[in-house]
Amino acid sequence: MSGRRDRWVPLSVGGLTDAPDEVDPAGERCYGPVRLRPMDVLINVFVALHIIGIGSLLGGFLTQMKAMGAGTARFSPAMLHGALTMLITGVALVGLNQADDQAVNNVKIGIKLAVLVVILALVYVKRDEEAVDKGLFGAVGGLTVANIFIATLWT
């Protein structure tokens, strides 16, 4: 084998190709060369967009931490757009993963969706206010961080 297809995937990763078990040059059992499927590319594009959305939401919060201390923090358009991006890409990711016959933890997704809907509602309702209450602004930041930890630690 030559070119891009010389990458080997350890047996523990599994399920990436339908190739029979093989042994890589180092002597470990592997599934064989990685073949990138169009569905994998599409899912990864939506994951990247989802991460951009969470970055926008969290970045909007972090840049206003000093203003929160002074009581002048407000929800920026970036925070609203980040939350909307997360909602749209999250729903798309669930659909794409189910269409690809991958297991989806519906309880985890439901909790993440509920947290995101609360964040989105708070940011949307208070988006035009000049100054948002410290506790409310902190709650949005805390819920955002909680959503990140739910996504990464709940396996």
Side-chain angles (χ1 to χ4, degrees), residues 32 41 60 68 91 95 123 143 152:
V41 173
M68 185 176 78
V91 169
V123 173
L143 288 171
T152 55

Side-chain angles (χ1 to χ4, degrees), residues 4-92:
R4 280 185 55 183
R5 296 183 180 218
D6 272 342
R7 296 175 292 159
W8 293 82
V9 179
L11 186 59
S12 61
V13 173
L16 294 178
T17 68
D18 54 358
D21 291 351
E22 297 178 21
V23 176
D24 76 350
E28 294 183 27
R29 254 180 91 211
C30 295
Y31 272 100
V34 175
R35 292 181 182 88
L36 204 54
R37 300 176 312 132
M39 186 65 119
D40 294 332
V41 173
L42 187 60
I43 289 172
N44 287 332
V45 165
F46 275 94
V47 167
L49 291 172
H50 197 69
I51 292 170
I52 290 169
I54 194 81
S56 179
L57 179 59
L58 187 61
F61 172 76
L62 293 175
T63 57
Q64 301 237 5
M65 291 286 288
K66 189 180 247 183
M68 185 176 78
T72 60
R74 61 181 311 224
F75 292 126
S76 66
M79 295 175 75
L80 176 63
H81 296 151
L84 286 170
T85 300
M86 287 178 57
L87 178 66
I88 293 166
T89 57
V91 169

Side-chain angles (χ1 to χ4, degrees), residues 53-65 68 73-84 86 112 114-127 132-149:
I54 194 81
S56 179
L57 179 59
L58 187 61
F61 172 76
L62 293 175
T63 57
Q64 301 237 5
M65 291 286 288
M68 185 176 78
R74 61 181 311 224
F75 292 126
S76 66
M79 295 175 75
L80 176 63
H81 296 151
L84 286 170
M86 287 178 57
K112 283 181 54 60
V115 170
L116 183 57
V117 166
V118 169
I119 292 170
L120 195 51
L122 291 172
V123 173
Y124 185 78
V125 168
K126 300 289 186 176
R127 74 186 184 280
V132 179
D133 180 57
K134 290 180 187 182
L136 189 64
F137 196 79
V140 168
L143 288 171
T144 301
V145 171
N147 220 354
I148 292 169
F149 281 116

